[in-house]
Amino acid sequence: MSDVILELNELHTHFFTDDGEIPAVDGVSFNVHKGEVVGIVGESGCGKSVTSLSIMQLVPSPPGRIVSGEINYKNENLAKASEKRMRKIRGNEIAMIFQEPMTSLNPLFTIGNQLNEAILFHEKVSKKQARKRSIEMLDLVGIPRSNEVIDDYPHQLSGGMRQRVMIAMAMACNPEVLIADEPTTALDVTIQAQILDLMRDLNKEKDTSIILITHDLGVVAEICERVIVMYSGQVVEEGTVRDILKDPQHPYSQGLIRSLPKIHETEQKLYSIPGTVPKPGMNMKGCRFAPRCPHAFDRCFQEDPELYSIAEGRYSRCFLHDSEEGGIRDDYETTIRS
Amino acid sequence: ACSGDGGANDDEGTDEGDTSEDTSEDTDSEDTDSEDTDSSEGEAAAGDNVLVYARGGDSESLDPSSTTDGESSRVTKQIYESLLEFEDESFDLKAGLANDWSVNDDGTVYTFQLEEGVTFHDGTDFNADAVKTNFERWSDPEHEYAFTEDNYVYSMYGTMFGGFKGDEGHVIEEINVKGDYEIEFVLNRPLGYFLQNMAMSYFAITSPAALEEHGASINENPVGTGPFKFESWSRDDSIVLNAFEDYRVDGQPKLDQVIFQVIPDNSARLTALRSGDIDVMDGLNPDDAQIIEEEEGFDLYVRKANNFGYLGLNTEKEPLDNKQVRQAINHAVDRQAIADALYAGYAQPAKNPLPPNYLGYNDEVEGYEYDPEKAKELLEEAGYGDGVEIELWTMPVARPYMPDPETVAEIIQNNLSDVGITAEIVREEWAPYLEKTAAGEQEMFMLGWSGTNGDPDYFLSALLHGDNAGSSNRTFYQNDEVDQLLDEAKVSVDQDERADLYMQAQELISEDSPMVTLVHSEPVLAASSDVVNYVPHPSTSESLAEVELDR
Amino acid sequence: MTTKPLLEVNGLKKYFDIKGGVFGRKVGEVKAVDDVSFKVMKGEIVGIVGESGCGKSTTGKSILRLIEPTEGEVKFEDKDITNLSFEEMRKLRKDMQIIFQDPYASLNPRHTVEKIVGEPLLVHGMNSADDRKKKVRELLEVVGLREYHASRYPHQFSGGQRQRIGIARALANNPKMIICDEPVSALDVSVQSQILNLMEELRTEFNLTYVFIAHDLSVVKHISDRVGVMYLGRMVEMTTKEKLFEDPKHPYTQALMSAVPVPDPDAKKERVILQGDVPSPSNPPSGCAFHTRCPRVMDVCKEVRPEFREIEDEHYVACHLYE
Amino acid sequence: MFAYTMRRLLMLIPVLIGMTLLTFSIVHLIPGNPAQVILGEQASEQEILNLQETMGLNEPYVVQYFLYVGDLLQGDLGTSLRSKAEISNEIVPYIIATFELTFFAMLFAIFVGVNAGIISAWKQNTWFDFLAMLFALVGVSMPIFWLALMEQLVFAQELGWLPAYGRQNSRDPIATITGFYVLDSLIHLDFPRAFTVLKHLVLPSIALGTIPMAIIARMTRSSMLEVMRSDYIRTVRAKGSGQFLVIYKHALKNATIPVLTVIGLQTGVLLGGAILTETIFSWPGIGRYIFDAINYRDYPVIQSGILVIAFIFVIINLVVDLLYAFIDPRIKY
Amino acid sequence: MEKVNSPLKDTLKQLSKNKFALVGFFIIIFFLLLGLSAPLIAPEGFNNQSLGDRLTPPSAEYWFGTDHLGRDIFNRIVYGARISMMVGFFAVTGALIFGTILGILSGYFGKWVDQLISRIFDILLAFPSILLAIAVVAILGSSLQNALIAIAIINIPIFGRLIRSKVISLREEEFIMAAKAQGMKNGRIILHHILPNSLAPIIVQATLSFGTAILEAAALGFLGLGAQPPTPEWGKMLADSRDFIQLAPWTLIFPGVSIMLVVLGFNLVGDGLRDALDPKMKN
Ligand SMILES: Nc1ncnc2c1ncn2[C@@H]1O[C@H](COP(=O)(O)OP(=O)(O)OP(=O)(O)O)[C@@H](O)[C@H]1O
Ligand SMILES: Nc1ncnc2c1ncn2[C@@H]1O[C@H](COP(=O)(O)OP(=O)(O)OP(=O)(O)O)[C@@H](O)[C@H]1O
Ligand SMILES: [Mg+2]
Ligand SMILES: [Mg+2]
């Protein structure tokens, strides 16, 4: 595998609200390699967005704050970086696109204006040059009539077009890492297919690392190489796409995959994970998934399981992998990742 | 804050400022282009000889005859002159535009000799024709200068001369021009106060040429013969008058300019005076008089009383139809307390429905002492010993004779409750108030009367003559004896005889007590000590021709 | 399954006016539903899929006359309900129910569960409070909630639980048919299956008929007996789910199916990526609405609107390819 | 944009008709005979009748209304009963005086309000935010006439820093050109005078502008906070923008829309508040004009004054609406 | 075990955490109690003239000094609290009732009903409110009661508009659609679904309007168009004392401060309520 470009280490991001402290990201660690597409999946509220915002240092503050942990980007800890430094990095080195293409563009400025900005922030070019680049970027993301669209306002574009604009904006300065937070959730399937196609191409062409956040395992299967499964602010499993989808290890991942209706198979009854996703900030003793877990035993309710390494690049946060418990795969060495 | 040393253009500036008597052409030509040079002129004017006179409200109109508004006559008094004038501090007569006058024996023909060589501000001559034109304009609604279509109304003329041309009561039969400077008024019956009328500021003479020129906008372009000529008027803000160089009296006016500044808020006006922004302020809050008196550099002026406020008692309504009840109420009201509380002492408790310095004022009348015990006795006698409820109508607006009617009502209410009369305060808007009190719907009510021509008839007949019941006589007081006395006095031209008749009337009225005469207010004014020769006239408008500034 | 249709929709149209111009007059229309016809048999689950804005919800709501259809006929148990009076329709609502997509917006935030579920009972004549209380408990039980939930407010529930409350409310008066407007699309995957299972159970238990609207093909496929595919306010294909998924006829259906991402890294499939965007329903293309994006477009498609025809047994398609 | 403008203009018609109806009926519902009021307590019955006749008060209401509207359409507001002058001429200097005052009051309100709002939003939950918002709340809780009086007490009477009345130094009246004294002084290149005029504007502008200022500050703050939370602001920041640009380019423009509405509505407060402030500060503006007219029952003036103020208010709100369309490209018609 | 709270309790809890709102609440309670216990605090009443003690400065005997009729300003302020509270209450209630009815009619039924009502609101709102109030009082005559009516009238379109827009947005909500789908009648939908859900903004507006109503009443009183003497209405007290600003500033300071405090109290609570009811404001 090529070099690690971004590494999260025990990241804790908490929200300090009237109702108490909410550990939205509760010790997340993973890394991203150069040119790789990493997927983060998990149900709503499990902390995917907060994780990505933390990387960008864009967690709404107050009430949110990175409490501890490191975000190492090319040997620099972004968690400690100054706002000035972050401004240099944002958009230039690490770019981000968001879930809602409808609201993520400022309705009062033209597409061109907003695209130029992305370039002008980071490069010393004239307005004219920036505009030229912007048009090129629009062409790159497959927007027809780019030299007209550039003077349009966001409301004149469809959702898919706007998401393309967002991607163009993110790619404008050739970032090393592109974080895409549910880029297709708001789009129709046929449009989603277009966007995923586009992202795949960009990844190939520019060798940009992509962190793709989604709750759709299908999307993950389409374009990701590696997958991180999150549950309630924590990483519960990590592995390659094939590993996760074909051979999930964590009971949560297992349940999740079994509960999907399959389009190419017919089954009478769907599997379903009992119970509901815990509310963040609730009583957090023991494994977060224990109350819904079919394998749960006493220890799960007492102790917090660690992220066990169960194979090369393969991790799962479950006591079943603990040699002491005689876990299902106790032949793997159980080293603990920091 | 006077911003003018005027260094750059002192040529023109000082020229005009210092030598106000000579070179009339010079200044005339300057006047025509005064628009452009106004700021430099302003600076010159801002020098020493500009008087700023601040008052609470703006003039309604600068056509003196078509308004009854005191703030208007305050200004028109400077611009216009009448045939006769009042003496400085009284309603005694002196020469005005007419330097001599006479009346025939039966009091129906008045002849006036007019001042010669007088010009209006527009340069035209003043003469007998001008006088005739003015009187015709007022008396004849069809007259080309009557401007009836533009809502001009000459109500003061109607009141003073018994109506208009063609009306039954109209007293002026004909006006004859006897020569350029002699004019004769023929009356159809004698009128005891005809000459008084001629001195009223309302009947001042406007230039016929100006009437021709300005038409119905004469009210904004006044042209008279007075000591000051009109310069500009910005509504609800200021009226600027400049000295009239050709004024008929040599050496007058002494001022270069008078500015009438409107400052409605009493305390703001006082502040302005104390900071030197203005020179004279009308309508000083009586409570503040003390401040002025104590403060260095300011003088307090007291205007003689020319009005009185009263608590009317509707003599047709029970229990007020009972004389004893009316007398009881008279005894119950503490006039001195009202004078003190409301006017800080700048008012005299009133015992007659006539201001004290008037012809025929009867000082012998005893009046009613503040005596709650007596009042209770009287009530007892009248059969209301157990108390009685009476409505007390309060006027909703402040008038010169009653600057704070609400407070007075409250005091009276308090007084009455002391003697067992429960007064319920009733409020009506001003127009309905007047309408309803005229219709006699009220029981007790507050109102007052201000003098205009300084003649007792204007007070006594209007308020207490039986013929006027239901219009200006709102107490519905009717005493044939009184009526007869008033009628006689009205047509007599012998002033001593008149005085005697009025005195008798007052005796009777006091006994009948159809009203509680409250106080004669004496308005107070304040001025900077720089102001010299300023004499407030009881009629509220005085000429500023002789006023000087000594800075 | 009986052959008698419970619901019959014929030529249903719903046009929304677009206001504008100087006088705020009507300047155009959104053809949200444009001539849709289908039948639903008793006891059947008919799925309707299509992309966002294609008129699925409008169809569902028009059937219930929650919005007044512009044109067309809706027959419920052989009775044309498009002309019923307000009061008649109100009574009929006992038999026809709807479950909404958004579990957060479809429950009155100020009412307790008790009131939410009990209210339909009240308005349809169950006046005794005790009876209602009992029935509410029963219903909660049926949808997998507890008795103590009755006194709570919607905001105290998770999305899945809320959707259960919505279902309980729909079931209150033992309806014959329920229109489910994307009942699971707002839910998390792990909860989605719970609800789908529940709905299937209820269907057998209460002998219900569903019109199941969704945009997720796999969900529709899982639950439906027959499936209709909509595009731009029109039904383009409708058949049994087996036929549809094995042998989609309409090029749009084919593209749609290929675009659905499958959570299987090994699934090798031929991808048809459609070009361009969905046209606006206020200005739909002439002829076949899909012709602007169709990979197999012919000249005739631009001119003539294809008829929605039965080309095989129980297989309806609106496409010129099959003429 | 044209269609939008036209539509907004056409929508004005029923409002304007309603306004004339309302002003007309208000005035005719006021009890009391105007002739009586004009002539006062010392007038005779006959005089009152005569005046009534000449004033046309004896016509039926419907006739009076149509005469009124007919005149209005020709720009004729009637004649003042009090001054006998054409109201349409007479009213102009009053309107200008009020304009000058409200302009500066608004300027004060917008400048201070918007900036305080921005800083508060930016420094949310700091002591500045806390104080500014408390101050703003006190500002909206204060009776403006009381504020005016207190200003007079403190700054004019006790400290003597600022004049308590009028528009200018009364010894030295300006030669008006436009009627806007500040402008006129500048045209005359008379800077000391401009300064004096400005000094006269300070207290009344503050008195009048305080409530709008407070409301604008609060609105700006909450609108900014909301905008700052929005997705597109996050997008701008994700592009690497600095705070300043985020706030003054992206956020402010978006936050402006609700603030504009408030500004539009606050002009109404200003115009209404003018009645109170203008009397206290002896400002010869339209508020005082109307108030005096009410006391005098000068029907045509009350009618016209209220109508003119409402008309100005409606026009300002129209302008605000058009500004929206200018700022927000989403508004098409 | 999770606590079960109704939305109302949640709001109150939220509100009680807001220090500003608490302060406001206490101010209101203070003045309310002051007004209620006026006869106890000032048994001699508010109109006890003692002309000898005119315009005495604050002292141990007269805490807030006396006015131009020698009346104890403190007593008058205490009684004035009653009036202000009453004005606020009746004006707001009146406006609320009529505004709600009109707003709901207009919002729920739409079409010409909406057109008519909205146009009327437009016209009323085209006039600066104080002018409209002055006009109404001019018609009805100056009295506290009429001022109250005038204030209610000028507030009707404010409530009406608010409720109309709320109803229109609610009408599109799915739960209203759901209620219709259950077969509910319009009356029930309005009463049980629309009204309770429009309550939040109405309550906030009502609280804030309480404050403005007091201010408006004071303004009318100040112009002499509201309460009539000897009613110790604060605005009227200010008007009466205007001439004594240099001589006896206390006659102006205390009534003014009282008005400001009460209004501030309502604004604080209104603001707090808004924050508590608006989830967007929550952190
Ligand atoms: N501004 C905030 N204030 C308080 N809590 C927040 C805030 N933003 C996020 N959270 C909390 O952090 C948790 C994680 O949120 P996050 O947005 O990362 O979820 P997610 O995995 O992206 O979910 P989704 O799929 O819905 O986008 C949530 O449960 C939420 O309660
Ligand atoms: N009340 C309305 N007024 C105007 N247009 C409407 C209205 N309701 C829906 N539309 C339009 O009708 C079309 C169909 O809407 P509908 O809600 O039926 O789509 P849908 O298929 O349910 O979409 P989704 O999957 O997003 O729920 C859309 O273009 C929408 O914009
Ligand atoms: Mg997210
Ligand atoms: Mg839908």
Side-chain angles (χ1 to χ4, degrees), chain A residues 212-227:
Chain A
L212 181 90
I213 294 170
T214 178
H215 59 249
D216 187 339
L217 287 168
V219 170
V220 167
E222 293 269 314
I223 83 167
C224 296
E225 292 155 33
R226 222 146 45 78
V227 180

PDB file of all heavy atoms in Angstrom, chain A residues 212-227:
ATOM      1  N   LEU A 212     -15.286   8.752   1.490  1.00  0.00           N
ATOM      2  CA  LEU A 212     -16.677   8.824   1.077  1.00  0.00           C
ATOM      3  C   LEU A 212     -17.560   8.393   2.236  1.00  0.00           C
ATOM      4  O   LEU A 212     -17.475   7.263   2.704  1.00  0.00           O
ATOM      5  CB  LEU A 212     -16.924   7.918  -0.122  1.00  0.00           C
ATOM      6  CG  LEU A 212     -18.360   7.977  -0.603  1.00  0.00           C
ATOM      7  CD1 LEU A 212     -18.524   9.059  -1.644  1.00  0.00           C
ATOM      8  CD2 LEU A 212     -18.808   6.644  -1.148  1.00  0.00           C
ATOM      9  N   ILE A 213     -18.353   9.323   2.685  1.00  0.00           N
ATOM     10  CA  ILE A 213     -19.232   9.013   3.804  1.00  0.00           C
ATOM     11  C   ILE A 213     -20.611   8.692   3.268  1.00  0.00           C
ATOM     12  O   ILE A 213     -21.130   9.407   2.407  1.00  0.00           O
ATOM     13  CB  ILE A 213     -19.286  10.219   4.764  1.00  0.00           C
ATOM     14  CG1 ILE A 213     -17.904  10.400   5.389  1.00  0.00           C
ATOM     15  CG2 ILE A 213     -20.348  10.021   5.821  1.00  0.00           C
ATOM     16  CD1 ILE A 213     -17.759  11.671   6.156  1.00  0.00           C
ATOM     17  N   THR A 214     -21.187   7.640   3.729  1.00  0.00           N
ATOM     18  CA  THR A 214     -22.494   7.254   3.214  1.00  0.00           C
ATOM     19  C   THR A 214     -23.146   6.311   4.206  1.00  0.00           C
ATOM     20  O   THR A 214     -22.509   5.808   5.128  1.00  0.00           O
ATOM     21  CB  THR A 214     -22.358   6.558   1.852  1.00  0.00           C
ATOM     22  OG1 THR A 214     -23.646   6.158   1.413  1.00  0.00           O
ATOM     23  CG2 THR A 214     -21.470   5.331   1.935  1.00  0.00           C
ATOM     24  N   HIS A 215     -24.457   6.142   4.052  1.00  0.00           N
ATOM     25  CA  HIS A 215     -25.055   5.079   4.847  1.00  0.00           C
ATOM     26  C   HIS A 215     -25.542   3.963   3.933  1.00  0.00           C
ATOM     27  O   HIS A 215     -26.161   3.026   4.353  1.00  0.00           O
ATOM     28  CB  HIS A 215     -26.200   5.626   5.711  1.00  0.00           C
ATOM     29  CG  HIS A 215     -27.282   6.252   4.919  1.00  0.00           C
ATOM     30  ND1 HIS A 215     -27.524   7.601   4.950  1.00  0.00           N
ATOM     31  CD2 HIS A 215     -28.154   5.736   4.044  1.00  0.00           C
ATOM     32  CE1 HIS A 215     -28.519   7.884   4.131  1.00  0.00           C
ATOM     33  NE2 HIS A 215     -28.923   6.757   3.566  1.00  0.00           N
ATOM     34  N   ASP A 216     -25.216   4.106   2.662  1.00  0.00           N
ATOM     35  CA  ASP A 216     -25.696   3.152   1.679  1.00  0.00           C
ATOM     36  C   ASP A 216     -24.570   2.173   1.341  1.00  0.00           C
ATOM     37  O   ASP A 216     -23.588   2.521   0.711  1.00  0.00           O
ATOM     38  CB  ASP A 216     -26.138   3.922   0.438  1.00  0.00           C
ATOM     39  CG  ASP A 216     -26.811   3.011  -0.567  1.00  0.00           C
ATOM     40  OD1 ASP A 216     -26.583   1.788  -0.494  1.00  0.00           O
ATOM     41  OD2 ASP A 216     -27.562   3.532  -1.408  1.00  0.00           O
ATOM     42  N   LEU A 217     -24.740   0.940   1.769  1.00  0.00           N
ATOM     43  CA  LEU A 217     -23.677  -0.040   1.542  1.00  0.00           C
ATOM     44  C   LEU A 217     -23.490  -0.309   0.052  1.00  0.00           C
ATOM     45  O   LEU A 217     -22.415  -0.663  -0.389  1.00  0.00           O
ATOM     46  CB  LEU A 217     -24.003  -1.336   2.280  1.00  0.00           C
ATOM     47  CG  LEU A 217     -23.829  -1.215   3.796  1.00  0.00           C
ATOM     48  CD1 LEU A 217     -24.422  -2.394   4.513  1.00  0.00           C
ATOM     49  CD2 LEU A 217     -22.353  -1.069   4.148  1.00  0.00           C
ATOM     50  N   GLY A 218     -24.555  -0.105  -0.709  1.00  0.00           N
ATOM     51  CA  GLY A 218     -24.451  -0.265  -2.153  1.00  0.00           C
ATOM     52  C   GLY A 218     -23.453   0.712  -2.749  1.00  0.00           C
ATOM     53  O   GLY A 218     -22.609   0.344  -3.566  1.00  0.00           O
ATOM     54  N   VAL A 219     -23.530   1.939  -2.316  1.00  0.00           N
ATOM     55  CA  VAL A 219     -22.605   2.955  -2.812  1.00  0.00           C
ATOM     56  C   VAL A 219     -21.182   2.580  -2.460  1.00  0.00           C
ATOM     57  O   VAL A 219     -20.261   2.696  -3.272  1.00  0.00           O
ATOM     58  CB  VAL A 219     -22.971   4.338  -2.227  1.00  0.00           C
ATOM     59  CG1 VAL A 219     -21.900   5.352  -2.524  1.00  0.00           C
ATOM     60  CG2 VAL A 219     -24.316   4.786  -2.768  1.00  0.00           C
ATOM     61  N   VAL A 220     -21.024   2.106  -1.245  1.00  0.00           N
ATOM     62  CA  VAL A 220     -19.695   1.687  -0.806  1.00  0.00           C
ATOM     63  C   VAL A 220     -19.157   0.607  -1.748  1.00  0.00           C
ATOM     64  O   VAL A 220     -18.029   0.687  -2.223  1.00  0.00           O
ATOM     65  CB  VAL A 220     -19.771   1.158   0.640  1.00  0.00           C
ATOM     66  CG1 VAL A 220     -18.494   0.429   1.004  1.00  0.00           C
ATOM     67  CG2 VAL A 220     -20.014   2.302   1.587  1.00  0.00           C
ATOM     68  N   ALA A 221     -20.004  -0.357  -2.025  1.00  0.00           N
ATOM     69  CA  ALA A 221     -19.575  -1.450  -2.888  1.00  0.00           C
ATOM     70  C   ALA A 221     -19.173  -0.937  -4.263  1.00  0.00           C
ATOM     71  O   ALA A 221     -18.275  -1.486  -4.896  1.00  0.00           O
ATOM     72  CB  ALA A 221     -20.698  -2.464  -3.004  1.00  0.00           C
ATOM     73  N   GLU A 222     -19.839   0.107  -4.705  1.00  0.00           N
ATOM     74  CA  GLU A 222     -19.563   0.620  -6.040  1.00  0.00           C
ATOM     75  C   GLU A 222     -18.171   1.193  -6.167  1.00  0.00           C
ATOM     76  O   GLU A 222     -17.510   0.959  -7.163  1.00  0.00           O
ATOM     77  CB  GLU A 222     -20.565   1.722  -6.396  1.00  0.00           C
ATOM     78  CG  GLU A 222     -21.988   1.260  -6.553  1.00  0.00           C
ATOM     79  CD  GLU A 222     -22.319   0.871  -7.986  1.00  0.00           C
ATOM     80  OE1 GLU A 222     -21.953   1.645  -8.887  1.00  0.00           O
ATOM     81  OE2 GLU A 222     -22.905  -0.209  -8.185  1.00  0.00           O
ATOM     82  N   ILE A 223     -17.726   1.999  -5.218  1.00  0.00           N
ATOM     83  CA  ILE A 223     -16.480   2.709  -5.492  1.00  0.00           C
ATOM     84  C   ILE A 223     -15.392   2.616  -4.416  1.00  0.00           C
ATOM     85  O   ILE A 223     -14.262   3.021  -4.669  1.00  0.00           O
ATOM     86  CB  ILE A 223     -16.721   4.201  -5.844  1.00  0.00           C
ATOM     87  CG1 ILE A 223     -16.883   5.081  -4.613  1.00  0.00           C
ATOM     88  CG2 ILE A 223     -17.924   4.389  -6.716  1.00  0.00           C
ATOM     89  CD1 ILE A 223     -16.791   6.553  -5.041  1.00  0.00           C
ATOM     90  N   CYS A 224     -15.718   2.094  -3.246  1.00  0.00           N
ATOM     91  CA  CYS A 224     -14.691   2.137  -2.195  1.00  0.00           C
ATOM     92  C   CYS A 224     -13.754   0.938  -2.257  1.00  0.00           C
ATOM     93  O   CYS A 224     -14.113  -0.138  -2.718  1.00  0.00           O
ATOM     94  CB  CYS A 224     -15.338   2.193  -0.827  1.00  0.00           C
ATOM     95  SG  CYS A 224     -16.264   3.677  -0.594  1.00  0.00           S
ATOM     96  N   GLU A 225     -12.550   1.207  -1.747  1.00  0.00           N
ATOM     97  CA  GLU A 225     -11.602   0.105  -1.614  1.00  0.00           C
ATOM     98  C   GLU A 225     -11.639  -0.419  -0.185  1.00  0.00           C
ATOM     99  O   GLU A 225     -11.650  -1.603   0.065  1.00  0.00           O
ATOM    100  CB  GLU A 225     -10.189   0.579  -1.950  1.00  0.00           C
ATOM    101  CG  GLU A 225     -10.055   0.918  -3.424  1.00  0.00           C
ATOM    102  CD  GLU A 225      -8.952   1.922  -3.694  1.00  0.00           C
ATOM    103  OE1 GLU A 225      -7.932   1.924  -2.976  1.00  0.00           O
ATOM    104  OE2 GLU A 225      -9.131   2.746  -4.621  1.00  0.00           O
ATOM    105  N   ARG A 226     -11.646   0.515   0.741  1.00  0.00           N
ATOM    106  CA  ARG A 226     -11.634   0.124   2.130  1.00  0.00           C
ATOM    107  C   ARG A 226     -12.861   0.744   2.801  1.00  0.00           C
ATOM    108  O   ARG A 226     -13.340   1.802   2.393  1.00  0.00           O
ATOM    109  CB  ARG A 226     -10.375   0.647   2.820  1.00  0.00           C
ATOM    110  CG  ARG A 226      -9.710  -0.330   3.754  1.00  0.00           C
ATOM    111  CD  ARG A 226      -8.194  -0.155   3.737  1.00  0.00           C
ATOM    112  NE  ARG A 226      -7.797   1.246   3.793  1.00  0.00           N
ATOM    113  CZ  ARG A 226      -7.795   1.986   4.920  1.00  0.00           C
ATOM    114  NH1 ARG A 226      -8.159   1.461   6.064  1.00  0.00           N
ATOM    115  NH2 ARG A 226      -7.391   3.227   4.883  1.00  0.00           N
ATOM    116  N   VAL A 227     -13.362   0.091   3.857  1.00  0.00           N
ATOM    117  CA  VAL A 227     -14.566   0.568   4.512  1.00  0.00           C
ATOM    118  C   VAL A 227     -14.352   0.638   6.009  1.00  0.00           C
ATOM    119  O   VAL A 227     -13.714  -0.231   6.596  1.00  0.00           O
ATOM    120  CB  VAL A 227     -15.771  -0.353   4.222  1.00  0.00           C
ATOM    121  CG1 VAL A 227     -17.019   0.173   4.911  1.00  0.00           C
ATOM    122  CG2 VAL A 227     -16.004  -0.473   2.740  1.00  0.00           C
TER     123      VAL A 227
END
